[in-house]
Amino acid sequence: MLRGVLPIVPTPFHADGTVDGESFDRVIEYGIAAGAHGLVFPAIASEYFTLSDEERRSLSQRLVRRVAGRVPVVIGVSSPEPEVALGLAKQAEELGAQAVLMLVPAVFAKAPEEALAYIRSVSRAVGLPIMLQNAPAPLGADLPVDAVARICREIDQVRYVKEEGAPSGQR
């Protein structure tokens, strides 16, 4: 079970736009030293949408290796393409992540049934708990509360919600 503070690990970049792996390692160590109860990567704050699938895979692997079991790791598998999300979720499970983070992509903003099917497809392929991320546009679907509640009721693996819709406290 995840609990406590699980910050999003940002992706540091060099001036030329390439990923700065050494700074990535320092950010990981800082999070653990600061008392984080777990680490999450990649997510919106990690600028996952600017990373190639290979960069996401290699940095997720680097994170798990660097953490070395000291705190739980949640791997973001968000993608508007279900096959990509599925492949990233399988990799997260193979790496030993404790959960996956799934953003409901903006393409499902007007299609809660399709969002449910999308999340269900990943839940059936891996045994990890899912943290559902409900974020506003332009990246997220900003699903209404009843759609989020239905997803949580119908998919047992959805055990956490990262609600970002406004006002998130009431949601």
Side-chain angles (χ1 to χ4, degrees):
M1 172 183 252
L2 300 173
R3 55 186 279 286
V5 177
L6 288 84
I8 306 297
V9 177
T11 307
F13 295 96
H14 292 290
D16 66 359
T18 59
V19 173
D20 182 346
E22 291 178 15
S23 292
F24 185 71
D25 292 343
R26 285 194 298 275
V27 170
I28 293 165
E29 292 302 327
Y30 176 81
I32 293 171
H37 298 99
L39 296 173
V40 182
F41 176 86
I44 294 173
S46 311
E47 300 184 66
Y48 83 87
F49 47 87
T50 67
L51 300 172
S52 70
D53 292 344
E54 180 51 39
E55 287 171 323
R56 289 175 70 178
R57 285 182 176 92
S58 65
L59 287 170
S60 294
Q61 184 176 44
R62 186 176 188 137
L63 171 68
V64 171
R65 285 184 180 157
R66 186 77 184 194
V67 168
R70 293 178 285 170
V71 296
V73 172
V74 179
I75 301 290
V77 300
S78 304
S79 174
E81 300 172 35
E83 333 56 69
V84 173
L86 190 61
L88 292 168
K90 287 179 180 180
Q91 183 210 20
E93 189 168 52
E94 290 167 6
L95 289 173
Q98 281 67 47
V100 294
L101 173 69
M102 287 189 70
L103 170 71
V104 179
V107 297
F108 299 123
K110 303 285 189 226
E113 290 296 323
E114 291 178 33
L116 180 67
Y118 166 75
I119 296 159
R120 185 173 277 131
S121 69
V122 173
S123 74
R124 288 180 174 157
V126 296
L128 293 173
I130 296 171
M131 181 182 294
L132 177 68
Q133 182 177 14
N134 188 36
L139 295 175
D142 200 17
L143 294 174
V145 173
D146 60 333
V148 172
R150 179 176 176 207
I151 290 168
C152 292
R153 277 193 311 273
E154 292 189 20
I155 303 174
D156 290 339
Q157 282 170 256
V158 177
R159 300 200 190 127
Y160 311 95
V161 175
K162 184 177 188 322
E163 179 59 64
E164 297 179 24
S168 59
Q170 288 85 335
R171 292 172 67 95

